[in-house]
Amino acid sequence: MKASLTEILTDLGAEDALIMDGFDDCILGILERFGIDKPIVVYDREKVIAKLINEDGLTHEEALEHYYYNQLGGWHGETTPAFLIKFPEEYEQEE
């Protein structure tokens, strides 16, 4: 049986983390870092923008504006979600 998001957040000690309604499928995981008292939910930025386009019918420009203003731009305290920008696939790590 698959665990619910609430169960997973509780198991990870992030039961107080804020989540964005309707974007559970865009969650990558939890961020913990020294200096942050409570873990926060991390979303895949590109998945969030794609969802705004595909499900809300926004143009790419409208989706970006919505994302920057309402999602990235919204501060709701120390458990406000974060957004990950992935490196391009062609990125090569220096050795």
Side-chain angles (χ1 to χ4, degrees):
M1 183 174 184
K2 198 170 186 179
S4 71
L5 178 59
T6 301
E7 291 169 330
I8 292 169
L9 291 174
T10 300
D11 289 347
L12 294 172
E15 59 274 355
D16 294 332
L18 295 177
I19 56 171
M20 299 187 307
D21 290 338
F23 290 88
D24 292 0
D25 57 332
C26 300
I27 294 174
L28 293 171
I30 299 297
L31 171 71
E32 63 178 0
R33 185 185 78 203
F34 182 79
I36 295 178
D37 294 330
K38 298 180 180 182
I40 59 175
V41 174
V42 178
Y43 289 87
D44 181 321
R45 182 182 81 157
E46 291 309 313
K47 283 186 179 180
V48 168
I49 292 168
K51 189 171 187 108
L52 291 169
I53 293 168
N54 296 328
E55 294 187 14
D56 293 352
L58 301 179
T59 65
H60 189 262
E61 185 176 313
E62 290 169 335
L64 285 174
E65 184 177 328
H66 177 87
Y67 164 77
Y68 282 115
Y69 184 79
N70 296 295
Q71 293 167 307
L72 181 64
W75 176 253
H76 303 283
E78 64 182 14
T79 59
T80 298
F83 301 90
L84 179 70
I85 301 169
K86 294 179 180 178
F87 285 166
E89 288 183 22
E90 61 271 6
Y91 167 73
E92 288 187 31
Q93 294 183 359
E94 296 178 17
E95 293 184 27

Coordinates of all heavy atoms in Angstrom, one line a residue:
M1 N 0.8 -1.2 0.0 CA 0.0 0.0 0.0 C 0.9 1.2 0.0 O 1.8 1.4 0.8 CB -0.9 0.0 1.2 CG -1.9 1.1 1.3 SD -3.0 0.8 2.7 CE -4.0 2.2 2.5
K2 N 0.6 2.2 -0.9 CA 1.4 3.4 -1.0 C 1.0 4.4 0.1 O -0.2 4.6 0.4 CB 1.1 4.0 -2.4 CG 2.1 5.0 -2.8 CD 1.8 5.3 -4.3 CE 2.9 6.2 -4.8 NZ 2.7 6.6 -6.2
A3 N 2.0 5.0 0.7 CA 1.8 6.0 1.7 C 1.3 7.3 1.2 O 1.6 7.7 0.1 CB 3.1 6.2 2.5
S4 N 0.5 8.0 2.0 CA 0.0 9.3 1.6 C 1.0 10.3 1.8 O 2.0 10.1 2.5 CB -1.3 9.6 2.4 OG -0.9 9.9 3.7
L5 N 0.9 11.5 1.1 CA 1.8 12.6 1.3 C 1.9 13.0 2.8 O 3.0 13.2 3.3 CB 1.4 13.8 0.4 CG 2.3 15.0 0.6 CD1 3.7 14.7 0.2 CD2 1.7 16.1 -0.3
T6 N 0.8 13.0 3.5 CA 0.7 13.4 4.9 C 1.6 12.4 5.7 O 2.3 12.8 6.6 CB -0.7 13.4 5.4 OG1 -1.5 14.4 4.6 CG2 -0.8 13.8 6.9
E7 N 1.4 11.1 5.4 CA 2.2 10.1 6.1 C 3.7 10.3 5.8 O 4.5 10.1 6.8 CB 1.7 8.7 5.7 CG 0.3 8.3 6.2 CD -0.2 7.1 5.6 OE1 0.2 6.7 4.4 OE2 -1.0 6.4 6.2
I8 N 4.0 10.5 4.6 CA 5.5 10.7 4.2 C 6.0 11.9 4.9 O 7.1 11.8 5.5 CB 5.6 10.8 2.7 CG1 5.3 9.5 2.1 CG2 7.1 11.2 2.4 CD1 5.2 9.5 0.5
L9 N 5.3 13.0 4.9 CA 5.8 14.2 5.6 C 6.0 14.0 7.1 O 7.0 14.4 7.7 CB 4.9 15.4 5.3 CG 4.8 15.9 3.9 CD1 3.8 17.0 3.7 CD2 6.2 16.5 3.4
T10 N 5.1 13.3 7.7 CA 5.1 13.0 9.1 C 6.3 12.1 9.4 O 7.1 12.4 10.3 CB 3.8 12.3 9.6 OG1 2.7 13.2 9.4 CG2 3.9 12.0 11.1
D11 N 6.5 11.1 8.6 CA 7.7 10.2 8.8 C 9.0 10.9 8.6 O 10.0 10.6 9.3 CB 7.6 9.0 7.8 CG 6.5 8.0 8.1 OD1 6.0 8.1 9.2 OD2 6.3 7.2 7.2
L12 N 9.1 12.0 7.8 CA 10.3 12.7 7.6 C 10.4 13.9 8.5 O 11.4 14.7 8.4 CB 10.3 13.2 6.1 CG 10.4 12.1 5.1 CD1 10.3 12.7 3.7 CD2 11.8 11.4 5.2
G13 N 9.5 14.0 9.5 CA 9.6 15.2 10.4 C 9.2 16.5 9.8 O 9.6 17.5 10.3
A14 N 8.4 16.5 8.7 CA 8.1 17.7 8.0 C 6.5 17.9 8.0 O 6.0 18.5 7.1 CB 8.6 17.7 6.6
E15 N 5.9 17.4 9.1 CA 4.4 17.5 9.1 C 3.9 18.9 9.1 O 2.8 19.2 8.7 CB 3.8 16.7 10.3 CG 4.3 17.2 11.6 CD 5.6 16.5 12.1 OE1 6.1 15.7 11.4 OE2 6.1 16.9 13.1
D16 N 4.7 19.9 9.5 CA 4.3 21.3 9.5 C 4.7 22.0 8.2 O 4.4 23.2 8.0 CB 5.0 22.1 10.7 CG 4.5 21.6 12.0 OD1 3.4 21.1 12.1 OD2 5.3 21.6 13.0
A17 N 5.3 21.3 7.3 CA 5.7 22.0 6.0 C 4.5 22.4 5.2 O 3.5 21.6 5.2 CB 6.6 21.0 5.2
L18 N 4.6 23.5 4.5 CA 3.5 23.9 3.7 C 3.6 23.2 2.3 O 4.7 23.0 1.8 CB 3.6 25.4 3.5 CG 3.3 26.3 4.7 CD1 3.5 27.8 4.4 CD2 2.0 26.0 5.3
I19 N 2.4 22.9 1.8 CA 2.4 22.3 0.5 C 1.4 23.1 -0.4 O 0.5 23.8 0.1 CB 2.0 20.8 0.5 CG1 0.6 20.6 1.2 CG2 3.0 20.0 1.1 CD1 0.0 19.3 1.0
M20 N 1.6 23.1 -1.7 CA 0.8 23.8 -2.6 C -0.3 22.9 -3.1 O 0.0 21.8 -3.6 CB 1.6 24.3 -3.8 CG 2.7 25.2 -3.5 SD 3.5 26.0 -4.9 CE 4.0 24.6 -5.9
D21 N -1.6 23.2 -2.9 CA -2.7 22.4 -3.3 C -2.6 22.1 -4.8 O -2.4 23.0 -5.6 CB -4.0 23.1 -3.0 CG -4.3 23.2 -1.5 OD1 -3.7 22.4 -0.8 OD2 -5.1 24.0 -1.1
G22 N -2.8 20.9 -5.2 CA -2.8 20.5 -6.6 C -1.5 20.2 -7.2 O -1.4 19.9 -8.4
F23 N -0.4 20.3 -6.5 CA 1.0 20.2 -7.0 C 1.7 19.0 -6.4 O 3.0 19.0 -6.5 CB 1.7 21.5 -7.0 CG 1.2 22.5 -7.9 CD1 0.2 23.4 -7.4 CD2 1.7 22.7 -9.2 CE1 -0.3 24.4 -8.3 CE2 1.2 23.6 -10.0 CZ 0.2 24.5 -9.6
D24 N 1.0 18.1 -5.8 CA 1.7 17.0 -5.1 C 2.6 16.2 -6.1 O 3.7 15.7 -5.7 CB 0.7 16.0 -4.5 CG 0.0 16.6 -3.3 OD1 0.2 17.8 -3.0 OD2 -0.9 15.9 -2.8
D25 N 2.2 16.1 -7.3 CA 3.0 15.3 -8.3 C 4.3 16.1 -8.8 O 5.1 15.5 -9.5 CB 2.2 14.9 -9.5 CG 1.5 16.1 -10.2 OD1 1.3 17.2 -9.6 OD2 1.3 16.0 -11.4
C26 N 4.5 17.3 -8.3 CA 5.6 18.1 -8.6 C 6.7 18.1 -7.5 O 7.7 18.7 -7.6 CB 5.2 19.5 -8.9 SG 4.1 19.7 -10.3
I27 N 6.4 17.4 -6.4 CA 7.3 17.4 -5.2 C 8.5 16.5 -5.5 O 8.3 15.3 -6.0 CB 6.5 16.9 -4.0 CG1 5.5 18.0 -3.6 CG2 7.5 16.7 -2.8 CD1 4.6 17.5 -2.4
L28 N 9.6 17.0 -5.2 CA 10.9 16.2 -5.3 C 11.3 15.6 -4.0 O 11.8 14.5 -4.0 CB 12.0 17.1 -5.8 CG 11.9 17.6 -7.3 CD1 13.0 18.6 -7.5 CD2 12.0 16.4 -8.2
G29 N 11.0 16.3 -2.9 CA 11.4 15.8 -1.6 C 11.4 16.9 -0.6 O 10.7 17.9 -0.7
I30 N 12.2 16.7 0.4 CA 12.3 17.6 1.6 C 13.7 18.2 1.6 O 14.7 17.5 1.4 CB 12.0 16.8 2.9 CG1 10.6 16.2 2.9 CG2 12.2 17.7 4.1 CD1 9.5 17.2 2.8
L31 N 13.8 19.5 2.0 CA 15.1 20.1 2.1 C 15.3 20.3 3.6 O 14.5 20.8 4.4 CB 15.0 21.5 1.5 CG 16.2 22.4 1.8 CD1 17.5 21.9 1.0 CD2 15.9 23.8 1.3
E32 N 16.5 19.9 4.0 CA 17.0 20.2 5.4 C 18.4 20.8 5.2 O 19.2 20.4 4.4 CB 17.0 19.0 6.3 CG 17.9 17.9 5.9 CD 17.9 16.7 6.9 OE1 17.1 16.7 7.9 OE2 18.6 15.7 6.6
R33 N 18.6 21.8 6.0 CA 19.9 22.5 6.0 C 20.1 23.1 7.3 O 19.2 23.5 8.0 CB 19.8 23.6 4.9 CG 21.1 24.3 4.7 CD 21.0 25.4 3.7 NE 20.4 26.6 4.4 CZ 19.7 27.6 3.8 NH1 19.6 27.6 2.6 NH2 19.3 28.5 4.6
F34 N 21.4 23.2 7.7 CA 21.8 23.8 8.9 C 21.2 25.2 8.9 O 21.3 25.9 7.9 CB 23.3 23.8 9.1 CG 23.8 24.5 10.3 CD1 23.8 23.7 11.5 CD2 24.2 25.8 10.4 CE1 24.2 24.3 12.7 CE2 24.6 26.4 11.6 CZ 24.6 25.6 12.7
G35 N 20.6 25.6 10.0 CA 20.1 27.0 10.1 C 18.6 27.1 9.8 O 18.0 28.1 10.1
I36 N 18.1 26.0 9.3 CA 16.6 25.9 9.0 C 16.1 25.0 10.1 O 16.5 23.8 10.1 CB 16.3 25.4 7.6 CG1 16.8 26.4 6.6 CG2 14.8 25.2 7.5 CD1 16.5 25.9 5.1
D37 N 15.2 25.5 10.9 CA 14.7 24.7 12.0 C 13.7 23.6 11.6 O 13.7 22.5 12.2 CB 14.0 25.6 13.0 CG 14.9 26.5 13.7 OD1 16.1 26.2 13.9 OD2 14.5 27.6 14.1
K38 N 13.0 23.8 10.5 CA 12.0 22.8 10.1 C 12.3 22.5 8.6 O 12.5 23.4 7.8 CB 10.6 23.4 10.2 CG 10.2 23.7 11.7 CD 8.8 24.2 11.8 CE 8.5 24.5 13.2 NZ 7.1 25.0 13.4
P39 N 12.2 21.2 8.2 CA 12.3 20.8 6.8 C 11.2 21.5 6.0 O 10.1 21.7 6.5 CB 12.2 19.3 6.8 CG 12.1 18.9 8.2 CD 11.9 20.1 9.1
I40 N 11.6 21.7 4.7 CA 10.6 22.3 3.8 C 10.4 21.4 2.5 O 11.4 20.7 2.2 CB 10.9 23.7 3.4 CG1 12.3 23.8 2.7 CG2 10.9 24.7 4.6 CD1 12.6 25.2 2.2
V41 N 9.3 21.5 1.9 CA 9.0 20.7 0.7 C 9.7 21.4 -0.5 O 9.7 22.6 -0.6 CB 7.5 20.6 0.5 CG1 7.2 20.0 -0.9 CG2 6.8 19.9 1.6
V42 N 10.3 20.6 -1.3 CA 11.0 21.1 -2.5 C 10.2 20.6 -3.8 O 9.9 19.4 -3.9 CB 12.4 20.6 -2.6 CG1 13.1 21.1 -3.9 CG2 13.2 21.1 -1.4
Y43 N 9.9 21.5 -4.6 CA 9.2 21.2 -5.9 C 10.1 21.4 -7.1 O 11.0 22.2 -7.0 CB 8.0 22.2 -6.1 CG 6.9 22.0 -5.1 CD1 6.9 22.6 -3.9 CD2 5.8 21.3 -5.5 CE1 5.8 22.5 -3.0 CE2 4.7 21.1 -4.6 CZ 4.8 21.7 -3.3 OH 3.7 21.5 -2.5
D44 N 9.8 20.6 -8.1 CA 10.5 20.7 -9.4 C 9.9 21.9 -10.1 O 8.7 21.9 -10.5 CB 10.3 19.4 -10.2 CG 11.0 19.4 -11.5 OD1 11.0 20.5 -12.2 OD2 11.5 18.4 -11.9
R45 N 10.6 23.0 -10.3 CA 10.1 24.2 -10.9 C 9.5 24.0 -12.3 O 8.5 24.5 -12.6 CB 11.2 25.3 -11.0 CG 10.7 26.6 -11.6 CD 11.8 27.6 -11.7 NE 12.6 27.3 -12.9 CZ 13.3 28.3 -13.5 NH1 13.3 29.5 -13.0 NH2 14.0 28.0 -14.6
E46 N 10.2 23.2 -13.1 CA 9.8 23.0 -14.5 C 8.5 22.2 -14.5 O 7.6 22.4 -15.3 CB 10.8 22.3 -15.3 CG 12.0 23.2 -15.6 CD 11.7 24.5 -16.2 OE1 10.9 24.6 -17.1 OE2 12.2 25.5 -15.6
K47 N 8.3 21.2 -13.6 CA 7.0 20.5 -13.5 C 5.9 21.4 -13.0 O 4.8 21.3 -13.5 CB 7.2 19.3 -12.5 CG 7.9 18.1 -13.0 CD 7.9 17.0 -12.1 CE 8.6 15.8 -12.6 NZ 8.5 14.6 -11.7
V48 N 6.2 22.3 -12.1 CA 5.1 23.3 -11.7 C 4.7 24.1 -12.9 O 3.5 24.3 -13.1 CB 5.7 24.1 -10.5 CG1 4.7 25.3 -10.2 CG2 5.9 23.3 -9.3
I49 N 5.6 24.7 -13.6 CA 5.3 25.5 -14.7 C 4.6 24.7 -15.8 O 3.6 25.2 -16.4 CB 6.6 26.2 -15.3 CG1 7.1 27.2 -14.3 CG2 6.3 26.9 -16.6 CD1 8.5 27.7 -14.5
A50 N 5.0 23.5 -16.1 CA 4.3 22.6 -17.1 C 2.9 22.4 -16.6 O 2.0 22.3 -17.5 CB 5.1 21.3 -17.3
K51 N 2.7 22.1 -15.3 CA 1.3 21.9 -14.8 C 0.4 23.1 -15.0 O -0.7 23.0 -15.4 CB 1.4 21.5 -13.4 CG 0.1 21.0 -12.8 CD 0.3 20.4 -11.5 CE -1.0 19.7 -11.0 NZ -0.9 18.3 -11.0
L52 N 1.0 24.3 -14.8 CA 0.2 25.5 -15.0 C -0.2 25.6 -16.5 O -1.3 26.1 -16.8 CB 1.0 26.7 -14.6 CG 1.2 26.9 -13.1 CD1 2.3 27.9 -12.8 CD2 0.0 27.2 -12.3
I53 N 0.7 25.2 -17.4 CA 0.4 25.3 -18.8 C -0.6 24.2 -19.2 O -1.7 24.5 -19.8 CB 1.7 25.2 -19.6 CG1 2.6 26.4 -19.4 CG2 1.3 25.0 -21.1 CD1 4.0 26.2 -19.9
N54 N -0.4 23.0 -18.8 CA -1.2 21.8 -19.2 C -2.5 21.7 -18.6 O -3.5 21.3 -19.2 CB -0.4 20.5 -19.1 CG 0.8 20.5 -19.9 OD1 0.9 21.0 -21.0 ND2 1.9 19.9 -19.4
E55 N -2.6 22.1 -17.3 CA -3.9 21.9 -16.6 C -4.7 23.2 -16.4 O -5.9 23.1 -16.3 CB -3.6 21.2 -15.3 CG -3.1 19.8 -15.4 CD -3.0 19.0 -14.2 OE1 -3.5 19.4 -13.1 OE2 -2.3 18.0 -14.2
D56 N -4.0 24.3 -16.4 CA -4.7 25.6 -16.2 C -4.9 26.3 -17.5 O -5.5 27.4 -17.5 CB -4.0 26.4 -15.1 CG -4.0 25.9 -13.7 OD1 -4.8 24.9 -13.5 OD2 -3.3 26.4 -12.8
G57 N -4.2 25.8 -18.5 CA -4.4 26.4 -19.9 C -3.7 27.8 -20.0 O -4.0 28.5 -20.9
L58 N -2.7 28.0 -19.2 CA -1.9 29.2 -19.3 C -0.9 29.1 -20.5 O -0.4 28.0 -20.8 CB -1.2 29.5 -18.0 CG -2.0 29.7 -16.8 CD1 -1.1 30.0 -15.6 CD2 -3.1 30.8 -16.9
T59 N -0.5 30.2 -21.1 CA 0.6 30.2 -22.0 C 1.9 30.1 -21.2 O 1.8 30.3 -19.9 CB 0.6 31.6 -22.8 OG1 0.9 32.6 -21.9 CG2 -0.7 31.8 -23.6
H60 N 3.0 29.9 -21.8 CA 4.2 29.8 -21.1 C 4.5 31.1 -20.4 O 4.9 31.0 -19.2 CB 5.4 29.4 -22.0 CG 6.7 29.0 -21.3 ND1 7.7 30.0 -21.1 CD2 7.1 27.9 -20.7 CE1 8.6 29.4 -20.4 NE2 8.3 28.1 -20.2
E61 N 4.3 32.2 -21.0 CA 4.6 33.5 -20.4 C 3.7 33.7 -19.2 O 4.1 34.2 -18.1 CB 4.4 34.6 -21.4 CG 4.7 36.0 -20.9 CD 4.6 37.0 -22.0 OE1 5.1 36.8 -23.1 OE2 4.0 38.1 -21.7
E62 N 2.4 33.3 -19.3 CA 1.4 33.5 -18.2 C 1.8 32.6 -17.0 O 1.7 33.0 -15.9 CB 0.0 33.2 -18.7 CG -0.6 34.2 -19.6 CD -1.9 33.7 -20.2 OE1 -2.1 32.5 -20.4 OE2 -2.7 34.6 -20.7
A63 N 2.2 31.4 -17.4 CA 2.6 30.4 -16.3 C 3.8 30.9 -15.6 O 3.9 30.8 -14.3 CB 2.9 29.0 -17.0
L64 N 4.8 31.4 -16.3 CA 6.0 32.0 -15.6 C 5.6 33.2 -14.7 O 6.1 33.3 -13.6 CB 7.0 32.5 -16.7 CG 7.8 31.4 -17.3 CD1 8.7 32.0 -18.4 CD2 8.7 30.6 -16.3
E65 N 4.8 34.0 -15.2 CA 4.3 35.2 -14.4 C 3.6 34.7 -13.1 O 3.9 35.2 -12.0 CB 3.4 36.1 -15.2 CG 3.0 37.3 -14.5 CD 2.1 38.2 -15.4 OE1 2.3 38.3 -16.6 OE2 1.2 38.9 -14.8
H66 N 2.7 33.7 -13.3 CA 2.0 33.2 -12.1 C 3.0 32.5 -11.2 O 2.9 32.8 -10.0 CB 1.0 32.1 -12.6 CG 0.3 31.5 -11.5 ND1 -0.9 32.0 -10.9 CD2 0.5 30.4 -10.8 CE1 -1.3 31.3 -9.9 NE2 -0.4 30.2 -9.8
Y67 N 3.9 31.7 -11.7 CA 4.9 31.1 -10.8 C 5.7 32.1 -10.0 O 5.8 32.0 -8.8 CB 5.8 30.2 -11.7 CG 7.1 29.8 -11.0 CD1 7.0 28.8 -10.0 CD2 8.3 30.4 -11.2 CE1 8.2 28.4 -9.3 CE2 9.4 30.1 -10.5 CZ 9.4 29.1 -9.6 OH 10.5 28.8 -8.9
Y68 N 6.3 33.1 -10.7 CA 7.1 34.1 -10.1 C 6.4 34.9 -9.0 O 6.9 35.2 -8.0 CB 7.9 35.0 -11.1 CG 9.0 34.3 -11.7 CD1 9.0 34.0 -13.1 CD2 10.1 33.9 -11.0 CE1 10.1 33.4 -13.7 CE2 11.2 33.2 -11.6 CZ 11.2 33.0 -12.9 OH 12.2 32.3 -13.5
Y69 N 5.2 35.3 -9.4 CA 4.4 36.1 -8.5 C 3.8 35.4 -7.3 O 3.9 35.8 -6.2 CB 3.4 36.9 -9.2 CG 2.6 37.9 -8.4 CD1 3.2 39.2 -8.1 CD2 1.4 37.7 -7.9 CE1 2.6 40.1 -7.2 CE2 0.7 38.6 -7.1 CZ 1.3 39.8 -6.8 OH 0.7 40.7 -5.9
N70 N 3.1 34.3 -7.6 CA 2.2 33.6 -6.7 C 2.9 32.5 -5.9 O 2.6 32.2 -4.8 CB 1.0 33.1 -7.3 CG 0.1 34.2 -7.9 OD1 -0.4 35.0 -7.1 ND2 0.0 34.2 -9.2
Q71 N 3.8 31.8 -6.6 CA 4.4 30.6 -6.0 C 5.8 30.9 -5.4 O 6.0 30.9 -4.2 CB 4.4 29.5 -6.9 CG 3.0 29.0 -7.2 CD 2.8 28.1 -8.4 OE1 3.3 28.4 -9.5 NE2 2.2 27.0 -8.1
L72 N 6.7 31.3 -6.2 CA 8.1 31.7 -5.8 C 8.0 33.0 -4.9 O 8.6 33.1 -3.9 CB 9.0 31.9 -6.9 CG 10.4 32.3 -6.5 CD1 11.1 31.1 -5.8 CD2 11.3 32.6 -7.8
G73 N 7.1 33.9 -5.3 CA 7.0 35.2 -4.6 C 6.2 35.2 -3.4 O 6.1 36.2 -2.7
G74 N 5.6 34.0 -3.0 CA 4.8 34.0 -1.8 C 5.6 33.5 -0.6 O 6.2 32.5 -0.6
W75 N 5.6 34.3 0.4 CA 6.3 33.9 1.7 C 5.3 33.7 2.7 O 4.5 34.5 3.0 CB 7.3 35.0 2.1 CG 7.9 34.7 3.4 CD1 7.7 35.3 4.6 CD2 9.0 33.7 3.7 NE1 8.5 34.7 5.6 CE2 9.3 33.8 5.0 CE3 9.6 32.8 2.8 CZ2 10.2 32.9 5.6 CZ3 10.6 32.0 3.4 CH2 10.9 32.1 4.8
H76 N 5.3 32.5 3.3 CA 4.3 32.1 4.3 C 5.0 31.6 5.6 O 4.5 30.7 6.2 CB 3.4 31.0 3.7 CG 2.7 31.4 2.5 ND1 1.7 32.3 2.5 CD2 3.0 31.2 1.2 CE1 1.3 32.5 1.2 NE2 2.1 31.9 0.4
G77 N 6.2 32.1 5.8 CA 6.9 31.7 7.0 C 8.0 30.7 6.7 O 8.3 30.4 5.5
E78 N 8.6 30.2 7.8 CA 9.8 29.4 7.6 C 9.6 28.0 6.9 O 10.5 27.4 6.5 CB 10.5 29.2 8.9 CG 9.7 28.4 9.9 CD 10.4 28.2 11.3 OE1 11.4 28.9 11.5 OE2 10.0 27.4 12.1
T79 N 8.3 27.6 6.8 CA 8.1 26.4 6.1 C 7.5 26.6 4.6 O 7.0 25.7 4.0 CB 7.1 25.5 6.9 OG1 5.8 26.2 7.0 CG2 7.6 25.1 8.2
T80 N 7.7 27.8 4.1 CA 7.4 28.1 2.7 C 8.1 27.1 1.8 O 9.4 26.9 2.0 CB 7.7 29.5 2.4 OG1 6.9 30.4 3.2 CG2 7.4 29.9 0.9
P81 N 7.5 26.5 0.8 CA 8.1 25.6 -0.1 C 9.3 26.3 -0.9 O 9.4 27.5 -1.0 CB 7.0 25.2 -1.1 CG 5.8 25.5 -0.4 CD 6.0 26.6 0.5
A82 N 10.2 25.4 -1.4 CA 11.3 25.8 -2.2 C 11.1 25.2 -3.6 O 10.4 24.2 -3.8 CB 12.6 25.4 -1.6
F83 N 11.9 25.7 -4.6 CA 11.8 25.2 -5.9 C 13.2 24.9 -6.5 O 14.1 25.7 -6.4 CB 11.1 26.2 -6.8 CG 9.7 26.6 -6.3 CD1 9.5 27.6 -5.4 CD2 8.6 25.8 -6.8 CE1 8.2 27.9 -5.0 CE2 7.3 26.1 -6.3 CZ 7.1 27.1 -5.4
L84 N 13.3 23.7 -7.0 CA 14.6 23.3 -7.5 C 14.7 23.5 -9.0 O 13.8 23.2 -9.8 CB 14.8 21.8 -7.3 CG 16.2 21.2 -7.8 CD1 17.3 21.7 -7.0 CD2 16.1 19.7 -7.8
I85 N 15.8 24.1 -9.5 CA 16.1 24.3 -10.9 C 17.2 23.3 -11.2 O 18.3 23.4 -10.7 CB 16.5 25.7 -11.2 CG1 15.5 26.7 -10.8 CG2 16.9 25.8 -12.7 CD1 16.0 28.2 -10.8
K86 N 16.8 22.3 -12.0 CA 17.8 21.2 -12.3 C 18.8 21.7 -13.3 O 18.5 22.5 -14.2 CB 17.0 20.0 -12.9 CG 16.1 19.4 -11.9 CD 15.4 18.2 -12.5 CE 14.5 17.5 -11.5 NZ 13.8 16.4 -12.2
F87 N 20.0 21.2 -13.2 CA 21.1 21.5 -14.2 C 20.7 20.8 -15.5 O 20.0 19.8 -15.5 CB 22.4 21.0 -13.8 CG 23.1 21.8 -12.7 CD1 24.2 21.2 -12.0 CD2 22.7 23.0 -12.4 CE1 24.8 22.0 -11.0 CE2 23.3 23.8 -11.4 CZ 24.4 23.2 -10.7
P88 N 21.1 21.4 -16.6 CA 20.8 20.8 -17.9 C 21.5 19.4 -18.0 O 22.5 19.2 -17.4 CB 21.4 21.7 -19.0 CG 21.8 22.9 -18.2 CD 21.8 22.6 -16.8
E89 N 20.9 18.5 -18.8 CA 21.4 17.2 -18.9 C 22.9 17.2 -19.5 O 23.7 16.3 -19.2 CB 20.5 16.3 -19.8 CG 19.3 15.9 -19.1 CD 18.4 15.0 -20.0 OE1 18.9 14.3 -20.9 OE2 17.2 15.0 -19.7
E90 N 23.2 18.2 -20.3 CA 24.5 18.2 -20.9 C 25.6 18.8 -20.0 O 26.7 18.9 -20.3 CB 24.5 19.1 -22.2 CG 24.1 20.5 -22.1 CD 22.6 20.7 -22.1 OE1 21.8 19.8 -22.2 OE2 22.2 21.9 -22.1
Y91 N 25.2 19.1 -18.8 CA 26.1 19.6 -17.8 C 27.1 18.5 -17.4 O 26.8 17.4 -17.1 CB 25.4 20.1 -16.5 CG 26.3 20.3 -15.3 CD1 27.1 21.4 -15.3 CD2 26.3 19.4 -14.3 CE1 27.9 21.6 -14.2 CE2 27.2 19.6 -13.2 CZ 28.0 20.7 -13.1 OH 28.8 21.0 -12.1
E92 N 28.4 18.8 -17.5 CA 29.5 17.9 -17.1 C 30.1 18.4 -15.8 O 30.5 19.5 -15.7 CB 30.5 17.8 -18.2 CG 30.0 17.1 -19.5 CD 31.2 16.9 -20.4 OE1 32.3 16.7 -20.0 OE2 30.9 16.9 -21.6
Q93 N 30.2 17.5 -14.9 CA 30.9 17.8 -13.7 C 32.4 17.8 -13.9 O 33.0 17.0 -14.6 CB 30.6 16.8 -12.6 CG 29.2 16.8 -12.1 CD 28.9 15.8 -11.0 OE1 29.8 15.1 -10.5 NE2 27.7 15.8 -10.5
E94 N 33.0 18.8 -13.2 CA 34.5 18.9 -13.3 C 35.1 17.9 -12.4 O 34.6 17.6 -11.3 CB 35.0 20.3 -12.9 CG 34.5 21.3 -13.9 CD 34.9 22.7 -13.5 OE1 35.8 22.9 -12.7 OE2 34.3 23.7 -14.0
E95 N 36.2 17.2 -12.8 CA 36.8 16.2 -11.9 C 38.0 16.7 -11.2 O 38.6 17.6 -11.6 CB 37.1 15.0 -12.8 CG 35.8 14.3 -13.3 CD 36.1 13.0 -14.0 OE1 37.2 12.4 -13.7 OE2 35.3 12.7 -14.8

